[in-house]
Amino acid sequence: MTNSPNSNSETRSSSFDRLDPRIQRWIWQSGWTELRDAQERAIPPILAGDRDVIIAASTASGKTEAAFLPILTRLAQEPEDMGLAVYISPLKALINDQWTRLESLAESLEIPVTPWHGDIAASRKTKFFKRPCGCVLITPESMEAMLMRQGSALLAIFSGLRYIVIDELHSFMGAERGKQLQSQLHRIDRLLDRSVPRIGLSATLGDMAGAQDFLRQGHGPAVVLIEAKEGGQELKVLIRGVQQPAAAPGAKADEVADAELIAKSSIALDLFKVLRGSNNLIFPNSRSAVEFFADRLRRCCEEARVPNEFWPHHGNLSKEIREQTEEALKQKERPASAICTSTLELGIDIGSVKSVTQIGPPPSVASLRQRLGRSGRRKGESAILRGYVIERQLTLQSDLADQLRCDLVQTIAMVRLLTRGWYEPIGTEGLHASTLVQQLLSLLAQFGGAHASALWDMLCARGAFPALDPEIFGSLLRGLGAQEIIFQDPTGLILLAPKGERLVEHYTFYAAFSTREEFRVVTAGRLLGSMPVTRPLAPGGFVIFGGRRWEVVSVSQEELVIEVRPGGGGALPNFEGDSGAMLHTRVREEMRAILQSDDNIPFLDATAQKLLKEGRDQYHALNLDRVQIRAAGATVQILPWKGDRIVDTLTLMLQARKVAAENDRLYIEVKGVSVTEVLETLREMLAQRPPSALEIAATVQTKIREKWDEKLPEDVLNVNFAAQYLDVPGTLSLLADLVSPSSRSNARESRANPDPLNERPRDPVTSEEPSL
């Protein structure tokens, strides 16, 4: 490819030559000197328009252009009978961002681009319905509304559909929202009686075959996979240990919170010192923590009498506040850092950032990789990761996870796995029966009614829920009928009952995931965002929101509105969904390997090195390199070193045998028995016929996890829970390891070893920060 229309000194790209001349001109005017690897390889199969394609590359690597340069070329070839391309995004903010990126290019081609979500004027959507062509940018929730509301008009709307582009494909996989998306794609294909080519834009995953099968269920090998050839970018890492002061024995909750506050405040002060003057992203793992650090860092700027450089960004903030943060990062006049959740983990354009900061262990290795993709985007720059891990100062009451410094060890394990190119495979084995309920009701709303055989064929036999068998599907229909959500008329047609009609007509129906009832936060008529209210809130009280402190003026329960004005105090809101992800077995195995070894970890500061040494010393002093079952005071601890699904399954199997077992993150704690009795129980469990996943699920009292689970009959709920959360084969393999002769003899040995916790000094260590 050449970088100007008149330059012929370079070998032209054959892919570039296949693009519309106006697109070629736009590329030249944008200053591009060449197409990137993924863009070169994506153009031919997408232009052909007869294959599904996945383009896998890191953040900000040109995936959007790789898809849309050939798509727009194809649409521009038919100006009189222009086709349609639908772009589906997980975020409204990403739609707005892509709209800005596509509009100038599409305008030169006279191709309309229509963003589609709640903030877009109805007149713009009406204009699209009159001539459904060009590009539509939409979320799964808005697509659900369109499929339900347009009814018989859908065929005309989608008759010209040429492509469906799914952005951030990996973010949908394994989730209820992803199953909703798969069902929508299938419904569109069935409506048109043809397979519409699907283009998935994804981060590079450890198992791309899973992504291929997700994009086209049952036909994954036929999906063209284009993985970008990414150079060996240098990664600079520094993990800092932060020691939280010990609270006194029997300390009250507020005293423990004060100790946590000291540790978190020290991190905020360090961030202010090292990040000022450059653009950065800070990921504290939860929206509450975003609010804490945004507030503290803003106050640091105020106390230093300098302009604020730290801006909050999470899904509960208003569009206006989120866009302020995005603009602060994109503008070049002043430095800016964003304290954010996964909302900035995805592909919103925020320009280049110098470093990424992770506070606490990352949710997953895959998430850490996605976040790091934001750093070092300029040619020749290194990606920089700063990590902060809080570990409590040890006392006689410290639990085993604290003694082994598990948060620090988990962070180290994830960084090491990242550098080896390993990421968690995305689980797609669940039934997703909750979303099946939504899709069943949606189909009834779309068609006005359907026979059971047609619903089974559309949703299961040849649909997005193939793992469900006819017996369970029949039970689901009967269960919904018993709840008066659906009914069957004398001809056998299944229809929505009045209760079902009320469900599908409610504005919350279109989302496959549930959200807690939240209050809108307003100041002087301006919307700041929304927040849950989990504690008493009255006029004169204070809250922290949007990285600022507010005084509550009024609270309306009827209108779900909190009016605020600037104030001097505040408490952090408790947002739903701020819990961590389930850990994979590979991560826990790497944690154990780190504790067992004496390998130097070069990317730790002096405090983190000291904390790691404490964890390793305690690991060896307790013989945990050989012992997985140990006495600990009046309890017994089982250390599986496996992922959360296996640990949860073993815990439930023990509880089903009336054993007082609790999953305590790192280990299973068993009360009221001896090590010998635990071993005997495990041996009996292995020798007898193992319970099925369904039998285990039937013992669980808290199976309702997703939005529509409460509508599922008990037998369907059991099948759904077993498929999503249990791993019986993995647990049986663990049982065989636990009852092996070496485990039994070493369990006896562990009782003879005193806990050496009191034998070592526990004073905090401070040191100079090593250079990155």
Side-chain angles (χ1 to χ4, degrees), residues 371-384:
R371 293 172 178 188
L372 261 179
R374 291 294 196 177
S375 175
R377 281 168 45 181
R378 294 196 179 103
K379 197 169 184 178
E381 282 187 350
S382 300
I384 298 175

Side-chain angles (χ1 to χ4, degrees), residues 238-494:
L238 173 65
I239 306 298
R240 300 203 66 180
V242 179
Q243 198 153 42
Q244 178 178 311
K252 297 179 181 178
D254 57 347
E255 294 173 324
V256 175
D258 287 344
E260 294 175 356
L261 182 64
I262 292 170
K264 289 165 65 176
S265 297
S266 72
I267 293 175
L269 289 172
D270 195 68
L271 289 172
F272 180 73
K273 179 179 70 174
V274 300
L275 298 186
R276 275 199 63 214
S278 60
N279 284 21
N280 308 275
L281 294 182
I282 303 164
F283 291 95
N285 285 345
S286 74
R287 285 166 285 182
S288 296
V290 166
E291 292 291 352
F292 173 85
F293 284 104
D295 172 63
R296 285 301 167 113
L297 289 164
R298 176 181 290 276
R299 289 167 61 196
C300 286
C301 291
E302 291 171 353
E303 290 165 6
R305 299 187 178 183
V306 297
N308 179 51
E309 296 182 19
F310 300 93
W311 305 80
H313 196 286
H314 61 73
N316 281 74
L317 296 173
S318 68
K319 173 187 173 186
E320 178 186 352
I321 294 177
R322 293 196 308 269
E323 289 182 347
Q324 283 177 354
T325 299
E326 293 159 21
E327 286 303 315
L329 289 166
K330 283 191 281 191
Q331 55 83 33
K332 307 298 183 184
E333 288 75 28
R334 296 184 308 277
S337 292
I339 307 99
C340 52
T341 59
S342 57
T343 51
L344 287 184
E345 192 177 297
L346 302 178
I348 299 171
D349 183 18
I350 55 170
S352 179
V353 300
K354 181 179 179 181
S355 73
V356 169
T357 294
Q358 174 66 48
I359 301 174
S364 65
V365 181
S367 175
L368 179 60
R369 183 190 185 280
Q370 186 76 356
R371 293 172 178 188
L372 261 179
R374 291 294 196 177
S375 175
R377 281 168 45 181
R378 294 196 179 103
K379 197 169 184 178
E381 282 187 350
S382 300
I384 298 175
L385 170 65
R386 286 185 172 87
Y388 293 84
V389 182
I390 298 174
E391 291 286 359
R392 299 180 185 89
Q393 188 174 0
L394 298 181
T395 68
L396 293 174
Q397 285 74 39
S398 295
D399 68 11
L400 185 60
D402 284 339
Q403 293 176 42
L404 298 181
R405 302 310 191 185
C406 278
D407 281 354
L408 174 62
V409 174
Q410 181 181 325
T411 301
I412 297 169
M414 288 182 161
V415 171
R416 296 213 320 187
L417 290 170
L418 171 77
T419 60
R420 295 172 193 160
W422 181 89
Y423 323 109
E424 293 86 355
I426 298 179
T428 56
E429 62 277 353
L431 293 184
H432 301 281
S434 169
T435 303
L436 174 59
V437 172
Q438 183 215 35
Q439 290 299 293
L440 190 153
L441 298 181
S442 179
L443 279 173
L444 293 177
Q446 177 182 339
F447 294 109
H451 286 91
S453 58
L455 292 170
W456 162 254
D457 183 65
M458 175 75 80
L459 292 168
C460 302
R462 293 189 291 164
F465 303 87
L468 213 72
D469 63 43
E471 182 180 346
I472 293 297
F473 187 74
S475 178
L476 173 62
L477 292 179
R478 289 189 294 272
L480 294 175
Q483 297 173 72
E484 299 183 343
I485 295 173
I486 60 175
F487 73 98
Q488 195 168 32
D489 73 5
T491 69
L493 196 67
I494 295 177

Side-chain angles (χ1 to χ4, degrees), residues 1-2 4-5 7-8 10-17 24 28:
M1 190 188 109
T2 55
S4 71
S7 173
N8 296 305
E10 301 179 28
T11 302
R12 292 176 62 91
S13 158
S14 60
S15 293
F16 176 77
D17 285 340
Q24 294 178 359
W28 288 324

Side-chain angles (χ1 to χ4, degrees), residues 4-252:
S4 71
N6 300 317
S7 173
N8 296 305
S9 60
E10 301 179 28
T11 302
R12 292 176 62 91
S13 158
S14 60
S15 293
F16 176 77
D17 285 340
R18 300 182 65 178
L19 298 175
D20 185 281
R22 290 165 292 182
I23 293 179
Q24 294 178 359
R25 191 174 303 113
W26 177 85
I27 292 173
W28 288 324
Q29 292 170 349
S30 299
W32 295 17
T33 59
E34 61 182 0
L35 294 177
R36 296 185 179 183
D37 168 68
Q39 295 165 345
E40 282 275 2
R41 291 191 284 144
I43 289 172
I46 294 177
L47 270 179
D50 57 0
R51 282 171 284 181
D52 301 316
V53 179
I54 287 179
I55 304 169
S58 60
T59 305
S61 57
K63 293 191 293 289
T64 301
E65 288 77 12
F68 275 99
L69 294 181
I71 286 174
L72 293 174
T73 292
R74 176 92 182 273
L75 296 181
Q77 291 171 351
E78 307 165 326
E80 299 303 321
D81 187 23
M82 186 180 295
L84 172 66
V86 172
Y87 162 95
I88 300 178
S89 162
L91 297 175
K92 289 196 299 184
L94 194 52
I95 285 176
N96 294 334
D97 185 59
Q98 300 292 27
W99 177 24
T100 303
R101 294 171 65 181
L102 287 174
E103 197 171 31
S104 63
L105 173 58
E107 186 177 7
S108 67
L109 300 168
E110 299 182 346
I111 294 176
V113 179
T114 307
W116 199 288
H117 53 67
D119 299 333
I120 302 302
S123 59
R124 194 177 188 110
K125 298 175 182 178
T126 301
K127 182 179 178 181
F128 166 78
F129 284 136
K130 289 179 178 178
R131 190 186 177 214
C133 64
C135 299
V136 170
L137 317 180
I138 196 167
T139 63
E141 291 70 37
S142 293
M143 176 61 77
E144 195 69 55
M146 187 183 293
L147 290 173
M148 287 174 56
R149 291 174 177 174
Q150 297 306 315
S152 59
L154 279 174
L155 185 58
I157 292 169
F158 289 127
S159 61
L161 185 59
R162 303 287 187 267
Y163 302 94
I164 298 178
V165 180
I166 300 105
D167 205 355
E168 306 292 348
L169 182 73
H170 55 281
S171 71
F172 289 107
M173 293 172 61
E176 297 301 318
R177 206 173 181 214
K179 186 55 68 173
Q180 176 188 22
L181 173 61
Q182 284 184 312
S183 182
Q184 291 171 349
L185 296 175
H186 178 74
R187 288 162 64 181
I188 291 171
D189 279 357
R190 290 288 295 269
L191 172 74
L192 300 176
D193 196 26
R194 61 183 171 88
S195 294
V196 179
R198 301 171 186 175
I199 315 298
L201 310 182
S202 172
T204 303
L205 304 173
D207 177 20
M208 291 307 302
Q212 291 170 285
D213 196 63
F214 177 85
L215 186 65
R216 181 71 68 177
Q217 280 178 287
H219 301 279
V223 176
V224 176
L225 177 60
I226 298 172
E227 291 189 84
K229 296 176 182 176
E230 299 175 359
Q233 182 188 37
E234 183 183 24
L235 170 62
K236 296 182 177 180
V237 181
L238 173 65
I239 306 298
R240 300 203 66 180
V242 179
Q243 198 153 42
Q244 178 178 311
K252 297 179 181 178

